[in-house]
């Protein structure tokens, strides 16, 4: 049996120090010379599983066999020595160096002492480029080459280092349709030469086209291994996005008031020339939660970036309470009582080395009640911070404690306490409970419902199907930078139907979608 499989991962479990379970008892077997898809939504545990196979992470329990032999993949160097290479979604190339220099980085052919034998590096690059039919320009600077070529360089780099098994993490995420078609020809070519590939993706049409077998993960567990030709897109969609309803959210029916957020014909083309937002229009009214569902990478992040001034769209308008907010900076946006719970709390939500108190008041330092002339009114600041810590049940010694020393759930409670307590008219909640414990999750979800019922407009972006379906009053599904569907009422919505729209199997008519504008 070991002969047939080049990779066998048995009973793999990964628990992080903060208690997050990324993989639970996963079995993953890959046959020699196949293209094997690893599928699942973001957060399903795909990347963690592959990081363990490439030696970047260690399993908490379980074993890994390569060519039938048990191995301890303690680092990427060990993984490479066993013939495993990884092409990361975010390329690991040095932009200022040439393609040839990147190709031999870390395994440099030397002429004398420390000097790189550049000629040899170029010759090696050209030899492999020809052998594997992956055309690259050896002397071009990586910063100057198109993204499709960068990916070829990454694949060649792995092959030069002796990889026989390639892990491709979301390889088409940044490619145009033409580049994707070229990549598929190249992967088929590698397969003919006896190479094995693991293809991480959530794009159904690509999986159906290029892969032989697939393993589907959901919530860190395996939903089984299938022959690609034996499963329908509908079945895959059900296995991928079917949800386990864990937390029921009790909420009164919404009674929406006037329009608060008005987005019309928003378009955005990213730095690689890919259209990430394609004429997106929507409205959010007082007292309602409008959810945005979709497999990640379909424009949700870009939409939030536009709404909160992190980026500028190519066309369209965004009004809050009738006022155009495009072009305003973050301070001006906050002055209009727009709050954001950001997707990445560590990067955008907090200053990790500052205290809980400093993080809580960071958006309101100009408020009159917190100032005494040119000095801060410290007693008022302490009073307000202590009250928020209490109201939001933040577990800490005191509000003077450094925020970075808290658990993920408590850090998120601090972010939420700040964003929810500044008298918002609109709350944009982007993945508000990602990676936090059940207690904090339940608390934040209840708070969102409570605030929406008090008359605040809430736009909820979440990759957690359970969350978005339980919390939202109405819902849009994004696919390929567009709104693929709008549901006025989420109560009778099935996972199966959602899966079809999320994965692009179905699309509503423009008339049905326009209803999200309430015009």
């Amino acid at each position: 049996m070991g002969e047939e499989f080049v990779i066998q991962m048995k009973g793999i479990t990964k628990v992080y120090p903060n208690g997050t379970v990324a993989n639970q008892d996963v079995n993953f077997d890959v046959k020699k010379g196949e293209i094997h898809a690893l599928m699942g939504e973001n957060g399903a545990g795909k990347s963690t599983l592959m990081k363990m196979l490439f030696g970047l992470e260690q399993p908490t329990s379980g074993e890994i066999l390569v060519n039938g032999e048990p191995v301890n993949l303690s680092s990427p160097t060990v993984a490479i020595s066993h013939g495993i290479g990884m092409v990361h979604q975010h390329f690991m190339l040095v932009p200022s160096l040439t393609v040839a220099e990147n190709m031999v980085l870390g395994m440099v052919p030397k002429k004398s002492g420390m000097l790189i034998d550049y000629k040899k590096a170029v010759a090696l690059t050209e030899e492999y480029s020809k052998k594997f039919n992956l055309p690259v320009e050896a002397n071009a600077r990586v910063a100057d080459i198109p993204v499709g070529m960068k990916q070829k360089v990454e694949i060649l780099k792995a092959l030069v280092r002796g990889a026989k098994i390639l892990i491709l993490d979301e390889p088409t995420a940044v490619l145009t349709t033409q580049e994707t078609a070229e990549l598929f020809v190249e992967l088929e070519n590698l397969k003919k030469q006896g190479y094995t590939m693991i293809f991480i993706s959530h794009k159904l049409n690509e999986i159906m086209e290029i892969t032989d077998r697939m393993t589907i993960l959901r919530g860190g567990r395996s939903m089984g291994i299938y022959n690609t030709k034996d499963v329908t897109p509908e079945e895959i969609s059900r296995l991928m996005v079917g949800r386990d309803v864990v937390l029921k959210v009790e909420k009164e029916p919404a009674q929406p008031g006037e329009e608060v957020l008005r987005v019309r014909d928003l378009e955005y083309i990213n730095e690689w020339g890919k259209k990430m937002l394609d004429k997106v229009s929507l409205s959010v009214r007082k007292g309602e939660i409008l959810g945005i569902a979709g497999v990640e990478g379909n424009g949700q992040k870009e939409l939030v970036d536009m709404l909160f001034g992190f980026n500028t769209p190519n066309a369209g308008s965004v009004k809050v309470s009738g006022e155009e907010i495009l072009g305003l900076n973050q301070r001006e946006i906050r002055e209009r009582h727009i709050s954001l719970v950001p997707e990445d709390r560590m990067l955008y939500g907090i200053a990790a080395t500052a205290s809980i108190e400093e993080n809580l008041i960071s958006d309101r330092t100009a408020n009159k009640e917190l100032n005494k002339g040119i000095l801060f009114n410290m007693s008022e600041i302490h009073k307000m911070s202590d009250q928020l810590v209490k109201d939001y049940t933040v577990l800490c010694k005191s509000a003077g404690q450094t925020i970075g020393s808290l658990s993920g759930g408590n850090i998120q409670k601090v972010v939420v306490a700040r964003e929810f307590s500044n008298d918002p008219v609109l709350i944009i909640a982007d993945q508000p409970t990602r990676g936090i414990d059940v207690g904090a999750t339940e608390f934040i979800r209840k708070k969102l419902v409570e605030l929406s019922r008090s008359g605040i407009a809430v736009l909820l972006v979440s990759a957690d199907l359970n969350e978005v379906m339980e919390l939202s009053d109405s819902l849009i599904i994004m696919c390929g930078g567009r709104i693929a569907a709008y549901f006025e009422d989420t109560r009778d919505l099935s996972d199966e139907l959602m899966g079809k729209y999320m994965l692009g199997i179905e699309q509503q008519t423009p008339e049905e979608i326009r209803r999200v504008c309430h015009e």
Side-chain angles (χ1 to χ4, degrees), residues 72-88:
N72 173 21
L73 301 173
S74 53
S75 72
T77 312
V78 175
I80 291 164
S81 75
H82 285 287
I84 300 167
M86 187 164 186
V87 177
H88 297 269

Side-chain angles (χ1 to χ4, degrees), residues 178-468:
Q178 180 57 39
E179 286 169 330
T180 298
E182 281 171 28
L183 174 70
F184 284 5
V185 170
E186 287 146 7
L187 295 185
E188 290 285 4
N189 184 34
L190 283 169
K191 183 175 136 180
K192 282 193 193 106
Q193 296 187 47
Y195 286 81
T196 304
M197 278 149 289
I198 299 168
F199 189 97
I200 306 177
S201 179
H202 48 233
K203 294 185 181 172
L204 250 183
N205 53 341
E206 296 181 358
I207 293 291
M208 300 306 278
E209 182 184 339
I210 189 83
T211 65
D212 303 298
R213 293 195 310 147
M214 67 176 75
T215 297
I216 299 172
L217 295 185
R218 181 167 96 216
R221 294 171 183 269
S222 171
M223 296 285 115
I225 297 179
Y226 304 86
N227 290 323
T228 306
K229 62 178 190 319
D230 298 339
V231 279
T232 65
E234 285 77 7
E235 286 168 328
I236 297 170
S237 130
R238 195 184 69 249
L239 289 162
M240 247 174 84
V241 305
R243 66 198 173 115
D244 310 313
V245 178
V246 192
L247 297 173
K248 273 278 177 207
V249 179
E250 297 301 322
K251 64 179 202 286
E252 297 291 309
Q255 296 180 323
E258 72 239 30
E259 181 182 69
V260 175
L261 173 66
R262 180 186 177 88
V263 177
R264 292 296 180 268
D265 296 324
L266 214 54
E267 293 195 15
Y268 174 63
I269 295 163
N270 71 10
E271 59 202 289
W272 298 296
K274 194 169 182 178
K275 194 172 244 192
M276 298 306 294
L277 291 175
D278 190 359
K279 288 205 176 340
V280 170
S281 297
L282 57 92
S283 295
V284 188
R285 299 168 295 184
K286 266 178 108 159
E288 77 171 341
I289 300 176
L290 174 67
I292 299 183
V295 174
E296 278 180 279
N298 281 281
Q300 303 94 310
K301 180 190 182 302
E302 287 75 10
L303 177 61
V304 172
D305 284 353
M306 305 299 152
L307 298 182
F308 213 75
F310 291 127
N311 211 331
T312 312
N314 296 80
S317 80
V318 177
K319 290 182 178 173
V320 173
S321 307
E323 181 189 1
E324 181 63 64
I325 62 163
L326 285 181
L328 298 183
N329 61 36
Q330 258 113 55
R331 184 180 55 77
E332 292 166 330
I333 287 171
R334 287 190 173 281
E335 282 168 357
R336 281 146 184 84
H337 297 282
I338 301 163
S339 287
L340 171 71
V341 178
E343 174 188 16
D344 187 336
R345 57 179 164 269
M346 300 311 284
L347 190 61
Y348 298 113
I350 61 159
T353 54
S355 68
I356 295 168
E357 183 171 85
E358 286 165 333
N359 275 281
L360 282 169
I361 66 152
S362 59
D363 65 335
R364 59 199 74 175
T365 48
N367 288 13
K368 286 189 182 70
E369 64 271 22
L370 300 185
N371 288 279
K372 281 180 175 171
I374 56 165
L375 297 172
F376 280 127
N377 182 346
M378 291 315 292
S379 64
E380 196 54 45
I381 286 174
H382 294 328
K383 193 172 131 193
M384 189 197 77
S385 303
D386 290 343
Q387 192 59 48
L388 284 173
V389 163
K390 191 175 157 203
D391 290 349
Y392 284 79
T393 64
V394 179
L395 285 179
C396 60
K397 294 184 192 80
S398 78
Q401 191 180 333
T402 305
I403 193 169
S405 63
L406 301 181
S407 71
N410 283 298
I411 290 175
Q412 190 70 340
K413 281 181 176 179
V414 173
V415 172
V416 161
R418 180 186 64 226
E419 298 301 323
F420 290 3
S421 65
N422 206 6
D423 198 18
V425 295
L426 169 68
I427 295 170
I428 302 165
D430 190 2
Q431 316 296 351
T433 64
R434 169 171 284 167
I436 63 175
D437 60 90
V438 175
T441 294
E442 197 170 9
F443 179 87
I444 289 168
R445 288 176 178 171
K446 279 184 173 159
K447 214 72 182 158
L448 271 172
V449 170
E450 194 184 299
L451 290 166
S452 78
R453 296 308 179 253
S454 74
I456 295 166
V458 177
L459 182 67
L460 168 70
V461 181
S462 181
D464 181 332
L465 251 201
N466 184 54
E467 176 165 88
V468 84

Side-chain angles (χ1 to χ4, degrees), residues 22-69:
N23 293 122
Q24 202 165 345
D25 199 26
V26 173
N27 293 324
F28 180 66
D29 302 320
V30 182
K31 292 178 182 174
K32 184 178 182 344
E34 73 169 345
I35 300 180
H36 191 116
L38 183 58
M39 292 197 76
E41 289 195 276
N42 278 38
K46 307 186 299 287
S47 289
T48 303
L49 192 66
M50 289 302 101
K51 280 177 182 169
M52 288 186 275
L53 185 55
F54 192 57
L56 288 163
E57 303 259 4
Q58 303 308 310
T60 308
S61 62
E63 67 168 342
I64 299 173
L65 290 84
V66 177
N67 298 315
E69 297 293 318

Side-chain angles (χ1 to χ4, degrees), residues 60-121:
T60 308
S61 62
E63 67 168 342
I64 299 173
L65 290 84
V66 177
N67 298 315
E69 297 293 318
V71 292
N72 173 21
L73 301 173
S74 53
S75 72
T77 312
V78 175
I80 291 164
S81 75
H82 285 287
I84 300 167
M86 187 164 186
V87 177
H88 297 269
Q89 184 177 356
H90 305 289
F91 303 142
M92 304 286 182
L93 301 169
V94 181
S96 57
L97 299 181
T98 66
V99 167
E101 286 165 336
N102 269 281
M103 197 63 71
V104 296
L105 217 52
M107 48 166 281
V108 178
K110 304 274 198 312
K111 234 183 196 170
S112 60
M114 292 305 291
L115 292 172
I116 291 177
D117 187 340
Y118 188 67
K119 265 196 178 140
K120 247 189 188 161

